[in-house]
């Protein structure tokens, strides 16, 4: 499982996030998605920790906390939904 961390400062780094979360346990991985077009931070990240208990402790402590001038949104990451664009494959519409 992993943790979703939203409303991040665009200045945050992977090291910043790892330092913030390691207070609550072992950080296995930090992922900072970048915008495909601009290459800039998208304002959210995913953090994976060693145990679910550590994740729960980090969520409890950091959700709503002010960090780098922003109120964090921290919760369990939800599985990515399959997003199909209209008109791409699978369409039964005929013209």
């Amino acid at each position: 499982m992993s943790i979703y961390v939203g409303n991040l400062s665009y200045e945050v780094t992977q090291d910043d996030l790892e330092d913030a979360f390691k207070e609550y346990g072992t950080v296995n991985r930090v992922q900072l998605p970048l915008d495909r077009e601009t290459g800039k931070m998208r304002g959210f990240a995913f953090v994976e920790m060693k145990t679910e208990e550590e994740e729960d402790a980090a969520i409890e402590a950091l959700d709503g906390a002010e960090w780098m001038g922003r109120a964090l949104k921290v919760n369990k990451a939800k599985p990515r939904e399959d997003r199909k664009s209209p008109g791409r494959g699978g369409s039964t519409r005929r013209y």
Side-chain angles (χ1 to χ4, degrees):
M1 199 71 193
S2 69
I3 300 170
Y4 167 83
V5 186
N7 200 33
L8 288 172
S9 164
Y10 292 103
E11 308 300 318
V12 74
T13 66
Q14 285 185 316
D15 289 340
D16 292 333
L17 279 166
E18 188 168 339
D19 287 345
F21 278 80
K22 73 181 180 184
E23 185 174 331
Y24 305 98
T26 302
V27 176
N28 289 338
R29 186 169 96 148
V30 174
Q31 185 179 12
L32 280 168
L34 302 177
D35 184 275
R36 289 182 191 152
E37 294 178 19
T38 66
K40 294 181 181 179
M41 274 263 316
R42 295 178 63 193
F44 65 92
F46 298 97
V47 177
E48 292 179 12
M49 299 186 76
K50 187 172 182 177
T51 69
E52 191 168 344
E53 290 78 17
E54 292 171 347
E55 289 180 353
D56 291 342
I59 291 167
E60 179 72 27
L62 297 173
D63 187 37
E66 188 170 325
W67 189 55
M68 299 180 93
R70 303 185 78 146
L72 296 178
K73 177 68 178 161
V74 184
N75 55 42
K76 294 275 187 186
K78 297 177 181 150
R80 186 174 183 168
E81 294 179 9
D82 186 20
R83 298 180 290 175
K84 292 185 181 177
S85 298
R88 287 193 174 181
S91 177
T92 58
R93 181 180 285 172
R94 296 184 185 236
Y95 297 96

